[in-house]
Amino acid sequence: MLTIRRAIFDDLDKIAAIEKECFTTPWSEASLGTELTLNALARYFVAEISGEIVGYGGMWVIADEAHITNIAVSSNYRRQGVARGILHKLLDTAKKERCKAATLEVRVGNTQARRLYEDSGFAPVGIRPKYYYDTNEDALIMWCVLE
Ligand SMILES: CC(C)(COP(=O)(O)OP(=O)(O)OC[C@H]1O[C@@H](n2cnc3c(N)ncnc32)[C@H](O)[C@@H]1OP(=O)(O)O)[C@@H](O)C(=O)NCCC(=O)NCCS
């Protein structure tokens, strides 16, 4: 069974391992640790299946906007609705905190993530050219109005 809960500092090892597995330019364990402890704007969640952490996601709540930072799911657990569950938890939390909108950047070529976000109400609103320094790929800025 899939459960989504707030992340705690003890989850850091597992979150950092998933981050490394899923991204070509992963956030360092130290940066993720700061997110879980010192960053008052940060809200992070982990997804568990049978007690094992299989994915995580986070956002920054800045004034009345939620900036989604990362969503990642370990490759053995993909296409089971884990990312959708994490994203919905983030958006529910943002609404409870009275955010009016959520936004994120995604690589233009990341079709699976783009579809995930589009399915959950995000629409493309702009491009940040050459945003990703490893490949010079553009970032698509996506936006979701929260009711
Ligand atoms: C993108 C990612 C988070 C999706 O995780 P996931 O748990 O497999 O996604 P879900 O099972 O919740 O899928 C939700 C929807 O996203 C879309 N989607 C997810 N994976 C897809 C794929 N490989 N191809 C096409 N669409 C896909 C589909 O619309 C899917 O709905 P459906 O299964 O009903 O068709 C995962 O592939 C991942 O961790 N990728 C690497 C990290 C990354 O790119 N993160 C996002 C950028 S911040």
Side-chain angles (χ1 to χ4, degrees), residues 92-140:
D92 280 353
T93 304
K95 281 183 201 166
K96 283 185 187 138
E97 297 201 29
R98 297 175 192 276
C99 289
K100 296 201 171 96
T103 185
L104 56 85
E105 282 111 13
V106 60
R107 286 177 195 256
V108 165
N110 191 347
T111 46
Q112 53 261 56
R114 284 179 59 175
R115 194 168 300 170
L116 162 73
Y117 298 134
E118 278 160 16
D119 281 358
S120 296
F122 283 81
V125 290
I127 293 276
R128 292 193 208 284
K130 300 186 188 321
Y131 183 77
Y132 297 99
Y133 66 86
D134 58 334
T135 56
N136 272 337
E137 191 169 355
D138 295 347
L140 185 67

Side-chain angles (χ1 to χ4, degrees), residues 58-117:
M59 65 180 173
W60 295 334
V61 173
I62 303 174
D64 59 3
E65 284 177 17
H67 291 240
I68 293 180
T69 53
N70 283 337
I71 296 185
V73 175
S74 185
S75 50
N76 289 339
Y77 293 92
R78 290 186 185 162
R79 291 319 283 270
Q80 299 177 39
V82 175
R84 184 184 284 118
I86 295 168
L87 182 57
H88 288 187
K89 188 72 170 184
L90 290 168
L91 296 179
D92 280 353
T93 304
K95 281 183 201 166
K96 283 185 187 138
E97 297 201 29
R98 297 175 192 276
C99 289
K100 296 201 171 96
T103 185
L104 56 85
E105 282 111 13
V106 60
R107 286 177 195 256
V108 165
N110 191 347
T111 46
Q112 53 261 56
R114 284 179 59 175
R115 194 168 300 170
L116 162 73
Y117 298 134

Side-chain angles (χ1 to χ4, degrees), residues 11 17-19 24 43 45 47 71 77 83 95 111 128 135 141-142:
D11 302 325
I18 293 171
E19 172 78 10
T24 47
R43 315 279 185 268
F45 293 87
I71 296 185
Y77 293 92
K95 281 183 201 166
T111 46
R128 292 193 208 284
T135 56
I141 305 166
M142 301 190 82

